Amino acid sequence: MNILLKSATIVDPSNKDYHLKKRDIHIKNGIIENIAPKLDIQNNVTIIDHKNLHVSIGWFDTGVSFGEPGYEERETIANGLYTAGSSGFTDIVLNPNTNPVPDSSSDIIFLKNAAKSSAVNLHPLGTLTMKSEGECLAELYDMKNAGAVGFYDYKRPINNSNLVKIALQYAHNFNGLVQSFPMDRQIAGKGIVNEGEVSTKLGLKGIPNLAEELNLARDLFILEYTGGRLHLPTISTAKSVSLIAEAKKKGLDVSCSVAIHNLCFTDESLVGFDSMFKLMPPLRTKKDSKALVKGLKDGVIDFVTTDHRPMDIELKRVEFDNASNGTIGLESAFGTLNTIFNLETTISLLTKGRERYGIPIPVLKVGEKATLTLFDPEIEYIFTEDHIRSSSKNSTFLGRKMKGKALGIIGNDQLIH
């Protein structure tokens, strides 16, 4: 591969030599050969010369679901990775949301092998418990050695507090990352949306904020007792932010993420009973979404995630009560974040998180492997199905105005553009 990026504005706040400067970038055989104000390369070079081309180190998502194995009709690994690449992501953490779930080293090896020829790096999570049933720990150490970057029963709370304790103690021995979905099943009951004024008006059963906060507080108390490394994915309430802030002040090794849709939508979106807005955790109030945005700006919330979850139309085009939870989010991630935050903050959010999962951080300089995202931060457009590369089209962002668009990636000596 021989590529020349022309007049690319480099967005890399950690790199004072190049940050916000326009440069030509020559990439050969997957390595950054040269960075200069003007380069003239001949010999079969692919030139990328976009009017407002910007480049950063490759974007990273801490929580993506596909379907394969078991739910290939929702999404295959191959098309899912292509979707991630065309959306600007060079690395994704894959949720264990398949059938069967990956609860052994052979399952992790299968996922790694299925992605080894892709431009996008796939980093699988293994389940925390066997079959994600919440009863017995899975083969955590073996899965870690096979390439699992953490352990998580996707969207399934661990009811057994002692199991969380044992998991943290055991994984601590090999620096494993335990993920726990913060939701108390008993408090949540049969709720499907946020409990509040909107759920009462619509006659829908609600899930109170307490359901999340109670479980989250429990896990933080356990972490304080055991030590170890804990990640709390997709928090959704203002109180959760403050609880995590207190835990970090104590020095606990805890991180958390928030789904992009919880930043920009509230439970008021449910008024039309559109099942695209049926999500888990549910969309909360404006007060909660404001607290989540502030938590990101303050650094209390560590990462954003698309929480990309493809669902075929049969699971969404039914009565609201019976519809499945989830939205895709890879294709809309940059355009949404770039309307909420300034460009530097947006790129910072999209490139954070690798160190938490033990993944090498790309470096944008001569002699380094090229792991880059190409984008235009100024394009404005309405997000439609034409922008969706996923096999499933279940997006909460359809019809939303976007600012900024990913143009592709360079990764593993390949170009998606």
Side-chain angles (χ1 to χ4, degrees):
M1 186 179 71
N2 194 15
I3 294 175
L4 180 61
L5 306 180
K6 294 294 291 183
S7 297
T9 300
I10 296 172
V11 184
D12 189 356
S14 66
N15 190 331
K16 294 179 181 178
D17 293 334
Y18 297 129
H19 183 49
L20 297 182
K21 294 178 181 176
K22 281 193 174 185
R23 293 289 185 268
D24 288 1
I25 304 173
H26 180 216
I27 299 154
K28 190 174 183 180
N29 298 327
I31 304 297
I32 300 173
E33 288 281 309
N34 201 355
I35 303 174
K38 188 170 180 60
L39 292 171
D40 186 18
I41 310 294
Q42 306 297 325
N43 303 328
N44 299 321
V45 66
T46 299
I47 296 175
I48 297 177
D49 189 3
H50 185 83
K51 183 180 178 182
N52 192 32
L53 180 62
H54 283 58
V55 63
S56 71
I57 63 169
W59 300 346
F60 174 62
D61 193 341
T62 60
V64 173
S65 299
F66 294 147
E68 184 181 358
Y71 302 116
E72 287 83 357
E73 72 280 4
R74 299 177 188 176
E75 189 61 280
T76 62
I77 291 172
N79 191 65
L81 292 173
Y82 172 75
T83 299
S86 62
S87 304
F89 293 90
T90 59
D91 293 81
I92 60 108
V93 172
L94 186 67
N95 289 317
N97 185 28
T98 54
N99 184 22
V101 293
D103 58 4
S104 68
S105 57
S106 60
D107 296 324
I108 300 300
I109 291 168
F110 166 80
L111 294 170
K112 296 282 285 184
N113 286 339
K116 64 182 179 182
S117 61
S118 174
V120 180
N121 299 307
L122 184 154
H123 309 281
L125 291 169
T127 62
L128 186 64
T129 65
M130 295 297 294
K131 298 182 180 179
S132 284
E133 291 176 346
E135 295 182 5
C136 305
L137 286 185
E139 300 174 7
L140 307 189
Y141 182 66
D142 288 346
M143 288 193 290
K144 166 91 174 192
N145 288 339
V149 295
F151 313 104
Y152 179 31
D153 288 356
Y154 178 70
K155 305 283 188 187
R156 297 185 184 186
I158 305 296
N159 290 341
N160 185 338
S161 301
N162 192 53
L163 198 60
V164 177
K165 176 178 77 74
I166 293 169
L168 284 165
Q169 289 173 325
Y170 177 56
H172 194 23
N173 293 314
F174 53 88
N175 204 34
L177 181 65
V178 172
Q179 297 195 180
S180 177
F181 182 63
M183 184 68 69
D184 185 295
R185 288 180 192 268
Q186 285 70 38
I187 297 290
K190 295 182 179 180
I192 56 174
V193 298
N194 179 60
E195 181 182 270
E197 188 177 324
V198 173
S199 66
T200 302
K201 284 181 179 178
L202 298 179
L204 296 172
K205 293 179 181 177
I207 301 173
N209 288 16
L210 177 65
E212 174 172 308
E213 296 151 6
L214 196 62
N215 220 56
L216 187 143
R218 177 204 72 173
D219 288 348
L220 292 174
F221 272 116
I222 294 172
L223 179 65
E224 189 172 4
Y225 176 80
T226 60
R229 303 169 67 233
L230 176 67
H231 179 67
L232 299 162
T234 59
I235 66 168
S236 67
T237 78
K239 180 67 173 176
S240 291
V241 177
S242 61
L243 287 169
I244 289 164
E246 291 170 18
K248 288 187 172 185
K249 284 179 184 175
K250 292 179 182 178
L252 301 186
D253 192 351
V254 61
S255 59
C256 65
S257 66
V258 60
I260 293 172
H261 45 260
N262 283 97
L263 299 174
C264 58
F265 295 110
T266 68
D267 57 358
E268 292 173 5
S269 301
L270 301 170
V271 170
F273 292 96
D274 185 347
S275 63
M276 294 298 179
F277 293 96
K278 189 179 182 189
L279 306 165
M280 185 57 65
L283 297 174
R284 302 289 187 180
T285 65
K286 192 171 290 185
K287 176 187 172 185
D288 291 309
S289 64
K290 284 182 177 179
L292 294 169
V293 170
K294 187 175 186 298
L296 277 170
K297 290 179 177 177
D298 295 343
V300 176
I301 299 177
D302 300 270
F303 323 123
V304 293
T305 175
T306 63
D307 200 18
H308 181 85
R309 190 182 191 186
M311 284 289 166
D312 43 301
I313 196 67
E314 289 83 359
L315 299 175
K316 278 290 186 180
R317 195 170 288 171
V318 293
E319 295 86 353
F320 192 93
D321 280 18
N322 298 325
S324 295
N325 295 309
T327 176
I328 57 173
L330 286 169
E331 299 96 324
S332 51
F334 176 56
T336 302
L337 289 173
N338 200 38
T339 61
I340 302 173
F341 304 100
N342 63 40
L343 178 60
E344 289 184 50
T345 302
T346 296
I347 298 305
S348 174
L349 291 172
L350 287 168
T351 54
K352 285 174 66 178
R354 287 177 172 88
E355 64 282 357
R356 187 62 171 161
Y357 292 87
I359 299 165
I361 301 170
V363 180
L364 207 167
K365 71 177 185 180
V366 174
E368 295 287 341
K369 182 180 177 183
T371 303
L372 306 174
T373 297
L374 316 177
F375 58 97
D376 182 338
E378 299 300 329
I379 295 177
E380 294 188 358
Y381 59 100
I382 302 297
F383 189 74
T384 68
E385 280 200 15
D386 291 340
H387 299 108
I388 294 177
R389 299 287 173 268
S390 302
S391 299
S392 297
K393 312 299 179 186
N394 56 306
S395 174
T396 60
F397 298 92
L398 288 169
R400 187 175 175 86
K401 188 176 181 180
M402 301 280 169
K403 182 186 177 186
K405 193 174 184 182
L407 302 175
I409 62 165
I410 297 170
N412 297 329
D413 198 20
Q414 299 176 59
L415 170 68
I416 294 179
H417 180 54

